[in-house]
Amino acid sequence: MRWITFLGRTGTVLLAISLALALVSLIPPATYSAPIHRFVDGGMYEVVWSGRYTPKLGLSISIRSNGSVYLYFLSVSSFQFYNWTMTWAEENLQDPYYRFNITVLNEFLKAHPDDVLWNCNFSSGEDVFYEFIPTSVVNVTVVIANPSSNLVEVEGEIREIVTVSPRKRTLTLTQILASIGIVLVVPWAISMRRK
């Protein structure tokens, strides 16, 4: 009988913790936003954002263009990215100023396929939204590339998302704790009712 009481109280505590976690997951994230408005020449690319992100600090982008554009989230700092592209342009094109050519970006992508966190190709008038919340600390550089020969206008917004707790993990933990809590409370509740 003492074990049933102990397990019931433990289950009650787990249910209370799961309720607290559920409430924490409902706290809306704080955001900082910055507009994006760029003209990208044909056959060129531009870095539009770079930063260091954690499970509590994520990044989202909402973007559209008047032409076909590639969007990349790369897991490198802008310093590392610029260093690599400048070195490659000096060695292969004999001019570091060509580092913004899409050929150099394609060479970086071939040499570092594991550094591509996410990529997307979108067309004129198409709205693209992507939210990235990492599972560990990671540098992120956002790159827009124009594969066509025409000038393309790109506009949108980038947001940094600050959360109290990563929502997906919190909800998973809440479900697990609530399930265990219910399993432990039910026998105790039945024995209390019989008394």
Side-chain angles (χ1 to χ4, degrees), residues 57-170:
L57 176 63
L59 182 68
S60 74
I61 189 167
S62 174
I63 198 165
R64 65 198 154 282
S65 73
N66 66 349
S68 181
V69 174
Y70 291 106
L71 177 64
Y72 297 94
F73 276 54
L74 305 175
S75 64
V76 294
S77 69
S78 59
F79 176 76
Q80 292 169 315
F81 180 71
Y82 283 137
N83 236 4
W84 191 94
T85 55
M86 184 181 290
T87 303
W88 193 92
E90 280 178 355
E91 291 173 358
N92 297 284
L93 303 174
Q94 284 69 47
D95 191 345
Y97 296 107
Y98 279 113
R99 72 174 188 244
F100 295 107
N101 190 298
I102 201 166
T103 304
V104 179
L105 173 64
N106 289 334
E107 290 301 321
F108 176 86
L109 297 172
K110 282 183 203 170
H112 303 91
D114 294 339
D115 286 339
V116 179
L117 296 169
W118 180 78
N119 68 313
C120 170
N121 176 17
F122 60 101
S123 306
S124 177
E126 188 178 345
D127 288 338
V128 172
F129 177 80
Y130 179 66
E131 184 174 280
F132 174 72
I133 302 200
T135 55
S136 61
V137 177
V138 64
N139 289 312
V140 176
T141 298
V142 181
V143 177
I144 294 174
N146 179 0
S148 72
S149 57
N150 302 323
L151 180 73
V152 171
E153 182 181 9
V154 178
E155 58 184 343
E157 185 176 58
I158 265 199
R159 290 178 181 258
E160 287 190 329
I161 306 160
V162 182
T163 61
V164 174
S165 172
R167 184 168 283 185
K168 287 181 184 175
R169 288 185 192 164
T170 304

